[in-house]
């Protein structure tokens, strides 16, 4: 049983395109996150949702828009993709907001050409 | 200066050795400290979690926090080739967001 799943696993696209990444968790958690991991393995939080409500919105270009249709899903839509958007994007979830364990998905490797 | 500093390595040691992985930080408000392990092309998974100062042991793993020096360590005893991975430290203050601040990760290679 996959706890946190993401689709697609790989995404290769051209500059200027719009793409979406989907995330689902079946752990019954209240909080979900999007992280970006660059080529140097540095993990940076992008967004956090608690019960479908946005609670963390780091300095991320407006081209990135998260959407949480219910507390088990958190999708990420990216408009007008740029070369610098190439990275691995991880979805994660935790039982609640707070210093609780975060469970990560397998990641989506985005390559913008 | 980053809030959390971690040597990216790689750190290469022979099987059976004791491994020491470290992070330093600058924010004295950090209270919760975590170590995650990330295998290649996988998501991070939580290894150890400590609150405030002190030691915590779990099998071959020991996490140590020295708040006076703003320094945390993860020790791995009797290292195995399966321990080869990137180890990321993460920490958070006690505030309303509890946002995790991550180190860059240390790549560890255990040679058989």
């Amino acid at each position: 049983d996959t706890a946190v799943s993401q689709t697609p696993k790989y995404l290769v696209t051209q500059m200027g395109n719009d793409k979406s990444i989907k995330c689902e968790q079946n752990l019954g958690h209240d909080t979900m996150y999007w992280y970006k991991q660059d080529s140097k393995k540095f993990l940076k939080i992008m967004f956090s949702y608690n019960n479908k409500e946005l609670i963390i919105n780091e300095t991320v270009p407006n081209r990135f828009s998260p959407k949480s249709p219910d507390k088990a899903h958190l999708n990420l839509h990216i408009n007008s993709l740029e070369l610098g958007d190439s990275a691995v994007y991880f979805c994660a979830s935790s039982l609640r907001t707070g210093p609780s364990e975060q469970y990560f998905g397998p990641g989506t490797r985005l390559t913008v050409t | 200066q980053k809030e959390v500093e971690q040597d990216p390595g790689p750190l290469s040691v022979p099987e059976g050795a004791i491994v020491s992985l470290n992070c330093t930080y600058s924010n004295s408000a950090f209270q919760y400290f975590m170590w995650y392990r990330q295998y290649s092309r996988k998501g991070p998974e939580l290894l150890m979690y400590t609150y405030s100062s002190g030691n915590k042991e779990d099998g071959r793993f020991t996490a140590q926090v020295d708040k006076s020096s703003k320094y945390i360590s993860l020790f791995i005893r009797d290292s195995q080739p399966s321990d080869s991975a990137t180890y990321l430290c993460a920490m958070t203050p006690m505030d309303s967001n509890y946002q995790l601040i991550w180190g860059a990760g240390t790549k560890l290679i255990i040679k058989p």
Side-chain angles (χ1 to χ4, degrees):
Chain A
D1 268 355
T2 305
V4 182
S5 58
Q6 293 179 232
T7 52
K9 201 165 180 184
Y10 298 95
L11 188 51
V12 181
T13 188
Q14 291 185 325
M15 280 173 54
N17 285 348
D18 303 339
K19 290 293 176 186
S20 290
I21 308 171
K22 295 188 175 183
C23 178
E24 177 181 0
Q25 54 94 2
N26 62 6
L27 298 166
H29 288 170
D30 283 348
T31 308
M32 295 185 74
Y33 311 82
W34 276 112
Y35 284 92
K36 179 181 180 181
Q37 188 172 47
D38 61 27
S39 56
K40 294 184 179 177
K41 295 287 192 181
F42 191 64
L43 263 173
K44 181 104 172 70
I45 183 99
M46 300 173 71
F47 302 103
S48 173
Y49 271 75
N50 187 58
N51 270 321
K52 303 195 300 173
E53 185 183 335
L54 182 66
I55 54 169
I56 292 176
N57 183 359
E58 286 300 296
T59 309
V60 174
N62 290 339
R63 301 181 293 103
F64 290 80
S65 52
K67 192 165 283 186
S68 182
D70 56 61
K71 74 174 193 178
H73 294 85
L74 180 61
N75 303 323
L76 183 65
H77 187 76
I78 316 169
N79 288 327
S80 303
L81 278 154
E82 299 177 358
L83 291 176
D85 297 333
S86 296
V88 181
Y89 291 84
F90 285 103
C91 176
S93 73
S94 63
L95 188 58
R96 59 187 181 278
T97 303
S100 57
E101 179 176 0
Q102 293 184 16
Y103 291 78
F104 284 77
T108 295
R109 188 170 293 270
L110 172 66
T111 303
V112 182
T113 61
Chain B
Q1 184 195 5
K2 289 195 174 77
E3 277 191 283
V4 179
E5 299 277 1
Q6 189 176 7
D7 186 333
L11 175 63
S12 184
V13 300
E15 183 177 354
I18 296 175
V19 175
S20 171
L21 302 164
N22 311 295
C23 288
T24 59
Y25 62 94
S26 55
N27 187 347
S28 57
F30 288 143
Q31 294 280 356
Y32 295 93
F33 303 90
M34 301 176 187
W35 285 96
Y36 279 77
R37 177 175 62 196
Q38 185 176 20
Y39 290 114
S40 181
R41 301 198 173 245
K42 300 280 187 189
E45 54 179 339
L46 183 68
L47 263 182
M48 300 284 286
Y49 176 153
T50 52
Y51 170 70
S52 197
S53 282
N55 291 0
K56 186 173 183 179
E57 194 172 316
D58 184 2
R60 296 184 296 111
F61 298 89
T62 300
Q64 203 170 72
V65 175
D66 182 348
K67 291 191 72 184
S68 61
S69 303
K70 297 194 183 73
Y71 189 89
I72 68 170
S73 300
L74 177 71
F75 298 96
I76 308 174
R77 288 184 299 282
D78 187 24
S79 55
Q80 305 292 312
S82 58
D83 294 328
S84 298
T86 296
Y87 289 79
L88 301 115
C89 62
M91 47 200 80
T92 182
M94 282 189 72
D95 64 23
S96 58
N97 269 344
Y98 291 104
Q99 181 182 330
L100 279 181
I101 308 299
W102 294 81
T106 298
K107 183 171 182 177
L108 175 65
I109 300 167
I110 308 295
K111 298 175 293 185

